[in-house]
Amino acid sequence: MTYMTFDRRTTDSAGSFLVRELERLDPTLHEPLSAVTWSRDIDLREDVCIADEAAGFINSAFGAVGGLAPTGKAWIGTDTTSVSGITLENGKTSQPLFLWGMEIGYTLPELESARRLGRPIDQQKFAAMRLKYQMDVDEMVYIGDTALGIKGLLNSPAVASTQVVPGAKGSTTWVTKTPDEILADINALLSTTWERSAWAVCPDRLLLPPVAFAHLAGQKVGEAGSVSILEFIRQNSLSLAINGRALEIQPVKWLSGRVAAYTKDQSRVRYPLVPLQRTAPENHGIHQSVTYYGRLGGVEWVYPETGGYADGI
C-alpha cells in the first residue's frame, strides 16, 4: 500500500499526518469537548484592573433606638430635650486578585509548516489558551480553588445550607419523590432564603446538578400529563408569586446532590475579573512567543443571606 505525507519536515504539533491514497481526510479541526457556563450565571465586577492586587467592598450596619421606648418608634414630644440618633458601622470584606498567565510559543519553521498545511498553529494554540482560561474561570466562579482557599458560588461558607426532608418513600432524593414533593423542597429553600434576607429578596434562580435537571425535564406531571416537572416547578414556584416571573432553572456540571438558589444581581453576588491582556511578541532566535495574562478573584457574596443551598436531592 502506498502512503504519502503533506510535508515530511513538519512535526505532529504542526498537524502533519500520513494519509493513504484512498483515504478522505476531513481537514476540519475538532477541538476537545468542553462546556463553560460561568458568564450565564453570574455578573462581573468590572471596575478592577491589572494593577489591583485585591478586590474589596464595604457592608454597612445601621442602628437606631426608639424614643419613649428603646425598641419602639422614634417618638419625641414638644418638650423633648434628648433626641435619639443613628449609629453606623462599616466593615470591609477583601479578597486577593490572583494573576493568571499563559505563554503561546512556536518556532518560525513550525509556523510556516503549519500554514502550508492550512492549519495555522498560532491560531490553534490561541484557541487552546482561550479554552484553558475559560475553564479556569468557570471553576473559580462555581467552586473556587482548594489550594488558594477560595470558595465559589456553589460552596461558600457564608451561605446557609439546609437538608431536604424525606418524601413519602422515605428518601430525600428527587428520583423517588413526586412532583409536589420536589416543588415543596424548592419552595422551602426559596422561603427560608427569603426569610433570612429579612423578607427583602426572594431568589429568582436555581442551579441544579445535570442529572437532577435531566430528571425534571424528562418526567411528566402525572402519567397523562403534558407538562414536564421542570415547567411545573417554573410556573408554580414561590419566585413567580413574589418576583412576578418564572423561576430560572439551569444545570451546572459542578453540582452533585445539592441545589443552589440565589438572585443573579451584581448588587447581591458578583465576580471580580480583569480581562486578558497580552505582551508584545518576543523573538528569541527562531522562537516567537506571546504571553497572555489577567487577574481572577473570588466570588463576592455582597449579601450572602440572599442565597441558599439544599443538600440531599
Side-chain angles (χ1 to χ4, degrees):
M1 185 174 292
T2 303
Y3 292 85
M4 68 175 186
T5 63
F6 286 115
D7 188 334
R8 297 182 61 90
R9 296 178 307 160
T10 57
T11 62
D12 287 343
S13 62
S16 176
F17 308 98
L18 289 172
V19 180
R20 294 176 295 177
E21 288 184 317
L22 297 180
E23 176 182 355
R24 178 66 64 182
L25 179 65
D26 179 5
T28 304
L29 296 173
H30 298 90
E31 298 181 359
L33 291 174
S34 63
V36 292
T37 55
W38 65 269
S39 60
R40 179 197 68 190
D41 293 330
I42 199 167
D43 294 325
L44 290 180
R45 176 180 175 179
E46 299 176 330
D47 62 334
V48 292
C49 68
I50 197 66
D52 297 327
E53 296 183 350
F57 59 93
I58 296 174
N59 280 117
S60 297
F62 300 152
V65 297
L68 301 177
T71 60
K73 299 176 180 65
W75 303 125
I76 63 172
T78 56
D79 58 346
T80 298
T81 58
S82 178
V83 180
S84 59
I86 294 290
T87 60
L88 176 65
E89 181 179 354
N90 292 322
K92 186 184 76 167
T93 301
S94 180
Q95 292 188 97
L97 286 171
F98 302 97
L99 195 60
W100 186 98
M102 184 161 285
E103 181 185 88
I104 296 178
Y106 36 79
T107 65
L108 298 180
E110 183 182 31
L111 180 62
E112 185 59 32
S113 297
R115 284 177 176 171
R116 178 172 295 187
L117 290 170
R119 293 184 288 273
I121 194 172
D122 54 342
Q123 296 180 15
Q124 294 178 54
K125 287 194 173 184
F126 178 78
M129 182 276 299
R130 288 288 303 178
L131 177 58
K132 169 61 175 172
Y133 174 74
Q134 288 292 327
M135 293 177 68
D136 284 355
V137 175
D138 201 62
E139 184 172 356
M140 283 293 289
V141 166
Y142 288 116
I143 61 172
D145 186 276
T146 303
L148 298 177
I150 299 296
K151 300 297 184 180
L153 184 65
L154 305 178
N155 60 356
S156 173
V159 177
S161 177
T162 59
Q163 185 78 17
V164 296
V165 298
K169 295 184 178 180
S171 174
T172 63
T173 59
W174 282 359
V175 293
T176 65
K177 289 188 173 183
T178 66
D180 285 334
E181 289 174 336
I182 296 174
L183 177 63
D185 286 344
I186 292 174
N187 278 338
L189 174 60
L190 299 180
S191 179
T192 54
T193 305
W194 185 28
E195 181 181 7
R196 282 194 297 268
S197 70
W199 309 108
V201 180
C202 179
D204 62 4
R205 199 174 191 88
L206 206 68
L207 299 182
L208 302 177
V211 173
F213 183 89
H215 174 71
L216 299 186
Q219 298 294 320
K220 304 295 186 193
V221 181
E223 294 183 1
S226 59
V227 177
S228 67
I229 300 178
L230 185 66
E231 188 60 28
F232 170 70
I233 291 171
R234 282 174 173 160
Q235 298 301 327
N236 292 276
S237 72
L238 187 62
S239 174
L240 182 62
I242 302 301
N243 300 319
R245 57 185 178 275
L247 184 67
E248 179 73 19
I249 306 176
Q250 296 290 352
V252 175
K253 66 181 180 182
W254 299 102
L255 276 173
S256 178
R258 163 174 282 190
V259 55
Y262 68 105
T263 299
K264 184 177 178 288
D265 188 322
Q266 191 184 54
S267 65
R268 317 294 184 196
V269 59
R270 61 201 184 190
Y271 185 70
L273 178 143
V274 179
L276 282 181
Q277 302 177 35
R278 56 169 289 179
T279 62
E282 296 183 7
N283 294 301
H284 304 280
I286 62 172
H287 186 270
Q288 188 177 79
S289 64
V290 177
T291 299
Y292 291 83
Y293 61 98
R295 286 190 182 273
L296 307 182
V299 168
E300 294 182 344
W301 277 99
V302 183
Y303 292 98
E305 56 271 13
T306 62
Y309 307 135
D311 296 314
I313 68 166

